[in-house]
Amino acid sequence: QLANLQLRDGQTYADTAESRTMKTYSLTGERGMILDRNGIPLVQNITLYRLQVIPSKIADMTALLQQLTPIVDLTPQDIADFRDDMHHNSRYKEVTLKSDLSDVEVARFAVNEFHFPGVTVESYQQRAYPYGAELAHVVGYVSKINDSDLQKLAKAGEEENYAADHNIGKQGIEGYYEKALHGTTGYQEVEVDNHGRVVRLLKEVPPV
């Protein structure tokens, strides 16, 4: 049996092991709600989808972008923004190629996903304000995390808690109660194949 495992089937098992890697995903919880005194929501959380790319897993980025353009309707601005973000992030970290994908774009990518190792679709939540400008001065808003925000988070020791976040509360209630509304980020430790698909869940700590 040892001979079978090591000599006859050794390369097969080695290839299988090499094609699987361990990965840790940060898990963000749903952003806290803001209600008026009668329990009426003043904000909404809407689920959207974005296309994520890990640059280190892409051999030819230009070819990849050309192949994905008709599938998810990439615009020159999408590509320019992606390349800019890519240069400001680690090549081992996921970078957003396109946000707010339509149902058709998600479906087209799903049937072609096996062609694109290192590229995945993930869900995220976006804040919406049903009362618009009427309550904007009180409720505030959330916006993309900038360099100034990153410095404040690092100083407060909260940087890791925003590993999976792109937005943070600005002004009004959204800003003042940011810590309570954001909560605590969780994580999953998983085993993935060479296409980035999850093979096995090893550990999960849910967000709060």
Side-chain angles (χ1 to χ4, degrees):
Q1 183 63 18
L2 285 173
N4 286 335
L5 289 171
Q6 297 180 39
L7 301 177
R8 190 188 70 181
D9 300 326
Q11 191 58 49
T12 300
Y13 288 117
D15 291 342
T16 300
E18 288 177 8
S19 68
R20 294 186 179 183
T21 57
M22 313 299 284
K23 190 171 182 180
T24 300
Y25 290 102
S26 294
L27 301 174
T28 54
E30 184 170 327
R31 188 170 177 85
M33 297 299 292
I34 300 172
L35 314 175
D36 73 1
R37 64 181 177 178
N38 297 312
I40 298 172
L42 304 181
V43 297
Q44 296 173 336
N45 292 322
I46 301 172
T47 300
L48 300 173
Y49 296 90
R50 60 186 166 215
L51 199 65
Q52 300 284 94
V53 179
I54 301 177
S56 63
K57 293 190 175 183
I58 309 302
D60 188 336
M61 187 63 74
T62 300
L64 173 77
L65 296 174
Q66 289 175 346
Q67 292 164 6
L68 285 172
T69 293
I71 296 175
V72 294
D73 302 319
L74 291 178
T75 66
Q77 189 61 53
D78 290 331
I79 294 173
D81 290 343
F82 168 72
R83 289 193 179 279
D84 182 61
D85 288 344
M86 189 172 63
H87 289 310
H88 288 87
N89 284 282
S90 164
R91 58 192 305 268
Y92 299 99
K93 183 180 178 182
E94 289 182 329
V95 180
T96 300
L97 175 54
K98 184 176 182 179
S99 299
D100 197 7
L101 295 174
S102 69
D103 291 342
V104 172
E105 290 166 346
V106 171
R108 280 202 302 246
F109 178 77
V111 298
N112 290 282
E113 185 174 3
F114 67 97
H115 290 303
F116 302 107
V119 184
T120 56
V121 167
E122 71 172 29
S123 63
Y124 68 101
Q125 290 191 331
Q126 183 167 296
R127 204 70 145 170
Y129 301 95
Y131 294 94
E134 294 177 40
L135 287 179
H137 61 293
V138 175
V139 175
Y141 63 96
V142 296
S143 185
K144 191 172 182 179
I145 295 173
N146 57 33
D147 290 340
S148 175
D149 295 323
L150 286 174
Q151 290 174 5
K152 291 177 183 176
L153 290 171
K155 189 175 180 180
E158 287 284 322
E159 199 170 15
E160 188 175 335
N161 197 30
Y162 284 75
D165 290 278
H166 295 266
N167 296 315
I168 194 170
K170 306 281 181 82
Q171 299 184 0
I173 295 170
E174 292 278 31
Y176 189 83
Y177 290 103
E178 167 59 25
K179 189 166 185 177
L181 291 167
H182 176 269
T184 305
T185 297
Y187 67 92
Q188 278 185 340
E189 290 180 359
V190 297
E191 185 179 1
V192 298
D193 62 17
N194 59 353
H195 292 288
R197 292 187 291 258
V198 176
V199 176
R200 188 161 55 106
L201 174 62
L202 303 174
K203 182 179 181 181
E204 179 173 357
V205 175
V208 178

